[in-house]
Amino acid sequence: MSATDVPRSEESDLVSRLRLGDADAANEFFDRYAARIRRFIAQSLGAEKSEADDLLQETFIALAEALPFFRGDSSLFTFACAIAHRKVLSFIRTNARRARLLRDAAISESEQRRDVGSHRDFNSALMQLSPDYREALVLKYVEEISVAEIARVLALSEHAVESRLARARKLLRKHLGESQ
Amino acid sequence: MKPEPDESNLAAEMKAAARPLSEIGETNLKRAFLKRLKEVAARPDVVPIEFDGRKIDVRLGGTILGAALKNDIRLMHVCGARTLCATCRVVVESGAENLTPMRPTERFSLRWHLSISPRTRLACQARVRGPVEVKSVFPLCGELPNS
């Protein structure tokens, strides 16, 4: 399911109920988006570790705090991803060395786990990209959100997102070529 | 040799290679999220602050600068609230704990402009979480200092 599948009117109703602290709305939001936000965080970090769960928790708490200021300019998923993106950036800045080790571990882990002939090359090439590039690719091709929405998540102009995507694709091709 | 992924098949490759969506069941996270939502919902929408002795209402989480401008207090902000000029700086007389913590950019700006008092904040950055009392450092726009 892509982020655009949920009608805006339905989503604004959900936001209103979340702002009132409605338990059903919290459950609905959680069931609808939590797994996707977690996947976005894990892909951005490049590791399926406890760090992703920690950052998911931080994201949800920050989201609860930020909801009163949500203007509805973007989808709720985009808003949540923007918060998650900042949490990931902050984590990477403060744990730069650790993040590098995690990334390396993720590469070797994915190489070991994936079946022969499946997406091993692709995954390891993806993990060699910087988080900025990986995030842009994941949002565009996995979460299928528009360039305008990606621009909101990454706090960039649409033109900058297009450039980043182009560079990410070029690098991905390069890494895929090297892994052959 | 494996063909290079062009834009059309990149999406399919990415989707196939993406981590599966792992189920997140009834967890502490869900409870913590709901608890925080309820706390936020219970907070008042506006909080009173005192600016240069004048009482004004600020939207909870709004900046001091935003509140001042909304109430026709012409606080200087030469750089357009980008932490560059520090002309919007204010001295916090009381309630400093009710402002959001200082970010590195704000701290850097204040140090750069040689304003090292711990009570000084940038009005464009400090967000209000409760009652505070502040005083502007520079004269307001259109006001000349007494000669």
Side-chain angles (χ1 to χ4, degrees), chain A residues 39 48 65 69 141 144, chain B residues 7 15 36 43 59:
Chain A
R39 180 170 68 179
E48 184 84 34
E65 292 281 347
F69 310 109
Y141 297 112
E144 293 180 326
Chain B
E7 172 121 37
K15 277 196 158 178
R36 187 58 67 98
R43 284 179 197 159
R59 186 175 58 96

Side-chain angles (χ1 to χ4, degrees), chain A residues 84-128:
Chain A
H85 164 68
R86 286 196 290 275
K87 295 288 172 198
V88 168
L89 278 190
S90 168
F91 175 83
I92 289 172
R93 279 192 200 116
T94 50
N95 300 276
R97 185 172 170 275
R98 216 160 141 238
R100 206 162 45 240
L101 292 173
L102 271 175
R103 192 190 62 185
D104 294 346
I107 293 169
S108 59
E109 189 181 289
S110 65
E111 278 174 354
Q112 284 167 8
R113 277 192 188 170
R114 299 280 169 178
D115 297 333
V116 178
S118 66
H119 308 285
R120 188 189 65 186
D121 292 341
F122 193 88
N123 255 320
S124 57
L126 193 63
M127 289 306 162
Q128 284 176 58

Side-chain angles (χ1 to χ4, degrees), chain B residues 40-63:
Chain B
V40 171
R43 284 179 197 159
D45 288 343
V46 290
V47 283
I49 69 165
E50 207 171 308
F51 192 104
D52 283 348
R54 188 178 151 188
K55 287 189 169 60
I56 57 174
D57 282 337
V58 187
R59 186 175 58 96
L60 187 74
T63 62

Side-chain angles (χ1 to χ4, degrees), chain B residues 93-145:
Chain B
E93 299 283 329
S94 66
E97 69 281 0
N98 290 329
L99 294 174
T100 49
M102 203 181 281
R103 287 181 173 182
T105 46
E106 184 183 352
R107 186 170 292 116
F108 179 80
S109 178
L110 285 169
R111 281 190 187 157
W112 181 258
H113 292 94
L114 305 178
S115 177
I116 50 175
S117 160
R119 293 196 303 148
T120 308
R121 294 294 306 265
L122 293 185
C124 66
Q125 298 301 307
R127 292 183 179 273
V128 179
R129 295 196 293 207
V132 287
E133 194 181 327
V134 297
K135 278 189 176 168
S136 59
V137 172
F138 293 109
L140 302 178
C141 295
E143 281 184 8
L144 291 173

